[in-house]
Amino acid sequence: MPDYLDDLRFAHVLADAADATTMDRFKALDLKVETKPDMTPVSEADKAAEELIRGHLQRARPRDAILGEEYGIEGTGPRRWVVDPIDGTKNYVRGVPVWATLISLMEAGEGGYQPVVGVVSAPALGRRWWAAKGHGAYTGRSLSSATRIHVSRVGRLADASFAYSSLTGWEEQGRLDGFLDLTRQVWRTRAYGDFWPYMMVAEGAVDFCAEPELSLWDMAANAIVVTEAGGTFTGLDGRPGPHSGNAAASNGLLHDELLGYLNGRY
């Protein structure tokens, strides 16, 4: 089995470059922000970071395809880099430090493309998380200064911490009743949002999280970090991986109950 460690090291180089670009414009008074057709914001920093990552990839991995939030798909083949230059743009443009660059390498296999490398870099928080298939998940400031992370062992809903992003998406999908029922069963709920709850699931600080509507670039890097930390990452339909347009991540012990509530089976 390929070890993917060279790709992981390269993903860190990409994240370093992106961090320099995004931090340079974070809280800038003259930051330019536009509204995309889906009514979500995009800043000049989103575009610059993705362009920078694409440039590095085209030079160093010319045979690999690239899928990014801002500029779409380029190239074909069994290997595909998936990039969200700033996950949490709404936070970024308001000066909230909870945002990250998400970089994943996906490889064609059974069941379609699956993530084999993921880096989640949150420079305004001073945090980074990463994983490569078969090598576990880690957090730290660099590959040489890292701590391996694991999901929690909490096995009862009454003892569990549940993280989410907002209520509106659940209501729009007709899942709000099940969502609220779940919040009444757990020990604690917090709306951290975006990439962060997935990383806290991987670290064992949160026991499960879910979001009702997502794109592949929102999930690919998070998925490999959670699974390499010993957790479970599926869609709300239970399909493993980041392909369902939504996500549920857990320590594995509580996953069936999580999906049961969110699908109205309890």
Side-chain angles (χ1 to χ4, degrees):
M1 184 180 78
D3 67 15
Y4 301 110
L5 293 181
D6 282 344
D7 293 309
L8 178 62
R9 282 188 283 270
F10 183 57
H12 275 270
V13 172
L14 297 176
D16 289 342
D19 286 355
T21 297
T22 53
M23 285 300 290
D24 182 61
R25 299 301 291 155
F26 185 49
K27 296 187 179 181
L29 296 178
D30 61 343
L31 180 71
K32 295 177 182 176
V33 182
E34 303 169 14
T35 300
K36 294 192 286 189
D38 64 359
M39 302 308 292
T40 60
V42 57
S43 74
E44 61 182 272
D46 291 81
K47 294 180 177 180
E50 184 168 325
E51 287 171 351
L52 184 68
I53 292 170
R54 284 176 178 269
H56 280 290
L57 284 167
Q58 286 160 354
R59 289 188 294 273
R61 298 287 194 276
R63 296 182 180 179
D64 294 351
I66 309 168
L67 171 65
E69 178 176 11
E70 306 308 333
Y71 296 106
I73 184 74
E74 182 178 350
T76 60
R79 288 164 47 98
R80 177 182 297 169
W81 294 86
V82 179
V83 177
D84 188 343
I86 299 179
D87 181 53
T89 298
K90 292 177 182 178
N91 282 348
Y92 183 89
V93 301
R94 288 295 302 272
V96 178
V98 183
W99 50 271
T101 296
L102 311 184
I103 300 169
S104 178
L105 173 62
M106 302 186 75
E107 204 167 66
E110 292 184 19
Y113 284 87
Q114 297 297 332
V116 294
V117 166
V119 172
V120 176
S121 188
L125 294 176
R127 298 293 309 276
R128 185 177 290 186
W129 302 260
W130 62 88
K133 185 177 180 181
H135 290 278
Y138 294 83
T139 187
R141 293 191 176 272
S142 67
L143 280 167
S144 60
S145 177
T147 301
R148 189 162 185 173
I149 55 177
H150 301 275
V151 296
S152 75
R153 299 300 299 168
V154 173
R156 293 196 325 141
L157 284 182
D159 300 324
S161 181
F162 171 36
Y164 61 96
S165 287
S166 67
L167 297 180
T168 54
W170 301 106
E171 188 170 28
E172 289 166 1
Q173 292 192 6
R175 299 179 188 265
L176 184 59
D177 288 345
F179 174 91
L180 292 175
D181 286 344
L182 176 59
T183 67
R184 297 181 184 108
Q185 301 302 314
V186 300
W187 167 62
R188 195 169 192 246
T189 61
R190 283 293 183 272
Y192 299 107
D194 300 306
F195 71 94
W196 208 8
Y198 301 95
M199 298 304 97
M200 287 192 281
V201 168
E203 290 182 330
V206 165
D207 305 304
F208 53 82
C209 64
E211 289 184 272
E213 187 174 3
L214 294 166
S215 298
L216 180 60
W217 47 76
D218 297 312
M219 297 183 282
N222 293 335
I224 183 72
V225 174
V226 168
T227 55
E228 284 294 319
T232 300
F233 190 105
T234 73
L236 298 178
D237 57 3
R239 179 185 178 190
H243 298 289
S244 299
N246 46 48
S250 77
N251 63 6
L253 300 175
L254 297 165
H255 207 79
D256 288 345
E257 289 176 282
L258 170 62
L259 294 181
Y261 275 97
L262 296 179
N263 286 299
R265 294 198 295 265
Y266 287 97

